[in-house]
Amino acid sequence: ILNVEQSPQSLHVQEGDSTNFTCSFPSSNFYALHWYRWETAKSPEALFVMTLNGDEKKKGRISATLNTKEGYSYLYIKGSQPEDSATYLCAFTMDSSYKLIFGSGTRLLVRP
Amino acid sequence: NAGVTQTPKFQVLKTGQSMTLQCAQDMNHEYMSWYRQDPGMGLRLIHYSVGAGITDQGEVPNGYNVSRSTTEDFPLRLLSAAPSQTSVYFCASRAIVGYIEQFFGPGTRLTVL
């Protein structure tokens, strides 16, 4: 059974704080790691897809890093804003498989 | 492009009733999948397909059937609904070569009484 673990489960921060979350995944047979942003009552929206060890991706104040050898990825949000409040999901794909296996997410709440 | 569309948006069923959740995509994606979302459990894969005529089970397939007769459509069938199937269902699609971002439909909220 493939396990994708995310931590923390939830996070409450003040506006302006920077924050980061962790996604752990099996390091063998790695193909891709996906990060999604998911707001209540909406469908998940892709943030990043990373495939190479050492990959770093950035979109505005959000960035992500990838370590496939040790099986983890970090998502960073710089200067959190209330509109960043959402659940952040990571998903893992093995090579020779097309399935995305999701973690249970990190729920972020940014207080004004 | 409409992307990934799902119908209905909401549905209430009685235990034992059957129904089909519809999913369609217009991006010519080979891979399509169904997830259910339950509180505290993230997204769990029900069934998936890598092309017309090919389907396979995910993590939680019991109680659900799928078929893929065309590239565009991937319906999910509940043969005899149970209260444990109360959930939000998401359909998703992606290409299997090249850019591999997965796109989600808007979801179907199902309640089984």
Side-chain angles (χ1 to χ4, degrees):
Chain A
I1 295 175
L2 298 174
N3 235 10
V4 179
E5 304 279 347
Q6 289 189 249
S7 62
Q9 209 167 17
S10 67
L11 199 51
H12 292 192
V13 301
Q14 285 297 131
E15 183 175 353
D17 286 350
S18 292
T19 186
N20 66 85
F21 329 129
T22 304
C23 173
S24 301
F25 52 87
S27 55
S28 57
N29 303 320
F30 174 85
Y31 184 72
L33 192 283
H34 303 239
W35 280 102
Y36 285 85
R37 181 174 182 276
W38 192 9
E39 288 182 72
T40 306
K42 294 187 178 177
S43 48
E45 174 196 342
L47 287 172
F48 306 114
V49 180
M50 295 187 286
T51 55
L52 298 175
N53 185 43
D55 243 356
E56 287 188 29
K57 299 268 186 176
K58 190 170 178 223
K59 189 185 277 192
R61 294 179 290 100
I62 306 178
S63 59
T65 60
L66 178 66
N67 183 324
T68 60
K69 291 188 165 68
E70 295 180 45
Y72 65 83
S73 175
Y74 294 136
L75 187 80
Y76 301 92
I77 303 179
K78 189 176 173 183
S80 303
Q81 299 297 307
E83 58 265 29
D84 295 328
S85 297
T87 297
Y88 291 84
L89 295 168
C90 74
F92 162 77
T93 308
M94 279 175 67
D95 62 8
S96 75
S97 162
Y98 305 110
K99 298 186 288 187
L100 263 70
I101 305 297
F102 281 84
S104 54
T106 293
R107 192 182 186 106
L108 174 68
L109 179 63
V110 182
R111 294 193 209 91
Chain B
N1 280 358
V4 182
T5 57
Q6 287 182 241
T7 55
K9 283 200 163 91
F10 303 94
Q11 183 71 49
V12 179
L13 291 178
K14 292 182 181 171
T15 296
Q17 284 185 312
S18 63
M19 81 157 296
T20 300
L21 307 186
Q22 300 292 346
C23 173
Q25 53 92 8
D26 60 1
M27 297 173 279
N28 206 30
H29 285 164
E30 299 92 340
Y31 179 87
M32 296 184 74
S33 54
W34 278 100
Y35 294 87
R36 60 177 287 173
Q37 187 261 322
D38 302 296
M41 303 196 77
L43 290 167
R44 291 186 292 168
L45 183 65
I46 305 171
H47 284 286
Y48 67 99
S49 167
V50 296
I54 306 168
T55 64
D56 207 346
Q57 296 181 347
E59 303 166 79
V60 289
N62 292 343
Y64 307 95
N65 275 359
V66 290
S67 60
R68 185 100 179 264
S69 53
T70 66
T71 300
E72 295 77 20
D73 300 297
F74 190 45
L76 179 74
R77 278 184 286 279
L78 283 72
L79 297 175
S80 178
S84 59
Q85 293 178 304
T86 293
S87 189
V88 180
Y89 291 85
F90 287 99
C91 179
S93 77
R94 55 189 277 241
I96 58 174
V97 291
Y99 191 61
I100 54 171
E101 177 184 334
Q102 178 157 284
F103 297 86
F104 283 85
T108 294
R109 186 174 289 276
L110 176 68
T111 301
V112 183
L113 303 173

